[in-house]
Amino acid sequence: MNLLGILIAIAFYVVTMVLFLGAVLLAFKFSRKGRHPIGKDVKLLRQPGEGLRQRIEAIDEKLVDELLKGLMLPSLAFLLPLLILLWPPALAYFSTVISLAGMAYLLSIGYCGWSVFRWGKQRRDCQLGLVGERIVANELESLKPKGYHVFHDAPAQGAGKAFNLDHIVVGPSGLFCIETKARRKYAARNGGEDHKVGFDGETLIWPNGRDGGPVRQARNNAEWLERWICQRLGRRIVATPLLAIPGWYTDEKPHGNLRVLSQKRLGYHIQQGLKLDANTVNLIALQLDSLCRDVPCDG
C-alpha cells in the first residue's frame, strides 16, 4: 500500500471516529432535555448538599466532554500534520512531519489527561463534602421529633457572592447555623494524633497544619442568618454558629459563641441552648421553608 492509501485509511478512521463520538455526545446532551410532566411551578425543599450535588452533576457532564475530547483531539492532532505529505514536495521532509505529528499527538494526550485529572479531583472533593453534609444531616434528624425544624443548604447572597448555609436548626433551644467541613485524615506532624482537631478560637488546628477559614465562615454565616431573620421578622434572633467536623475528635471548648463538634455531639449541644417560644420557632421555620424550597422536580 502506498503512502496515499495509508493516509486515506487513517483519515477515514479518524473522521468516522470523530463523527461517532460527536453523535454520542449530542445524544447524551439531548437526552437531558424535555418538559417534565410535573411542571416547573412545583418546588421541593433543598436536601443536604444540594449545591454540591448540582456541582457534581455539572462536573460529570464536563468529564464526559473531556473524555470524548481526549479520544478525538489526539487523533486529529496526529492526522492533520500527516495531510501535508499529500503535497509531493513535503515528502522530502517525511521524518520531520512524522516527528511533528507525534509531538502534537503526545501534547494533546497530555493536555486531555491533565484536564480529566483536574475535573476528577474537583469531583472527588465535592463528593467528600457531600458525604460529610449527609452524615451531619442524618444526625440532625433525631431532633425533629423533639420540636425542631431542620433545613439544609440554604441559599444566601453576600456582597456580590452567592453561598450556602449547610444546615439550619430552629427549635425550643434557639436558632443554630451549622457549617460542615469534611476532611480526609493524613499522618500527623511530629508524631501527633491524626484523628484530633484543636480549636483556639480563631483557627482549627489539624494534625498537619492550621486553617482559620472554616471558623470565619461559620461565624459569618451565622451573622448573615441573623440579619436575614431580622429583616423578615423585625426582631433580632441570635443565631448560634456551630462548626461540624464529621469523623474527627474535636476540642469542644467554646470560644466566644462558637463550638467545634463532631456530628455525634451536635444534637446534645443544640438542646442546651437558650429557650425560644413556639410561636417564634414557627415563624422562623416558615421563613426558612420559603428560602429553601427552590428545587424544581426535574432536578
Side-chain angles (χ1 to χ4, degrees):
M1 182 180 292
N2 58 28
L3 179 60
L4 179 60
I6 293 174
L7 291 176
I8 292 175
I10 293 175
F12 177 78
Y13 168 78
V14 171
V15 170
T16 54
M17 181 60 68
V18 169
L19 290 175
F20 171 74
L21 294 175
V24 170
L25 180 59
L26 288 175
F28 176 78
K29 289 187 175 296
F30 279 110
S31 67
R32 300 179 59 85
K33 295 184 177 181
R35 188 176 59 177
H36 197 275
I38 298 177
K40 295 183 178 180
D41 57 329
V42 179
K43 303 294 183 181
L44 305 177
L45 276 174
R46 298 174 73 87
Q47 296 301 304
E50 181 67 30
L52 289 171
R53 182 191 67 80
Q54 294 175 6
R55 176 63 175 161
I56 289 172
E57 286 187 355
I59 290 176
D60 285 342
E61 291 190 15
K62 188 66 177 178
L63 278 172
V64 170
D65 292 344
E66 293 299 321
L67 288 171
L68 293 174
K69 187 190 299 181
L71 292 172
M72 291 188 292
L73 281 184
S75 298
L76 291 173
F78 184 72
L79 173 65
L80 292 178
L82 292 183
L83 293 178
I84 299 175
L85 295 176
L86 294 176
W87 184 44
L91 292 175
Y93 305 97
F94 181 83
S95 297
T96 301
V97 172
I98 292 296
S99 298
L100 289 174
M103 289 177 60
Y105 177 80
L106 292 175
L107 287 173
S108 61
I109 281 284
Y111 168 76
C112 293
W114 172 81
S115 184
V116 169
F117 172 80
R118 179 170 59 90
W119 286 107
K121 183 179 184 302
Q122 288 189 31
R123 190 189 192 286
R124 182 165 159 262
D125 292 341
C126 288
Q127 186 65 38
L128 176 64
L130 177 60
V131 170
E133 291 191 28
R134 286 179 172 174
I135 290 173
V136 170
N138 186 66
E139 293 293 330
L140 296 176
E141 284 294 309
S142 63
L143 294 172
K144 289 183 177 180
K146 302 174 183 179
Y148 290 84
H149 301 265
V150 181
F151 300 91
H152 306 288
D153 206 64
Q157 180 65 49
K161 181 180 178 181
F163 58 98
N164 293 340
L165 311 182
D166 290 343
H167 316 277
I168 302 173
V169 176
V170 60
S173 57
L175 175 65
F176 301 85
C177 186
I178 304 166
E179 177 66 21
T180 296
K181 290 299 176 186
R183 183 158 175 165
R184 298 177 181 88
K185 294 178 180 177
Y186 297 98
R189 293 178 180 173
N190 303 320
E193 296 177 293
D194 62 2
H195 64 287
K196 292 185 178 181
V197 55
F199 176 46
D200 62 6
E202 298 298 330
T203 62
L204 296 178
I205 307 169
W206 300 96
N208 58 352
R210 291 172 173 262
D211 186 7
V215 175
R216 293 189 295 272
Q217 185 178 3
R219 286 176 170 149
N220 290 340
N221 287 355
E223 291 173 2
W224 183 93
L225 181 60
E226 277 190 19
R227 293 193 298 270
W228 187 84
I229 292 294
C230 184
Q231 290 171 0
R232 276 145 184 81
L233 300 186
R235 53 182 288 203
R236 180 175 179 268
I237 307 295
V238 174
T240 301
L242 295 174
L243 184 53
I245 307 179
W248 288 75
Y249 180 84
T250 65
D251 178 1
E252 298 183 2
K253 181 180 179 181
H255 290 271
N257 60 347
L258 177 64
R259 286 182 186 268
V260 178
L261 305 166
S262 70
Q263 80 279 7
K264 295 181 178 180
R265 298 287 290 166
L266 281 171
Y268 170 79
H269 283 286
I270 285 174
Q271 294 177 77
Q272 309 308 307
L274 300 174
K275 298 301 179 183
L276 202 59
D277 65 272
N279 183 57
T280 301
V281 169
N282 290 332
L283 287 174
I284 294 174
L286 286 173
Q287 296 297 325
L288 291 173
D289 185 277
S290 175
L291 176 67
C292 297
R293 192 174 293 278
D294 68 347
V295 179
C297 289
D298 59 355

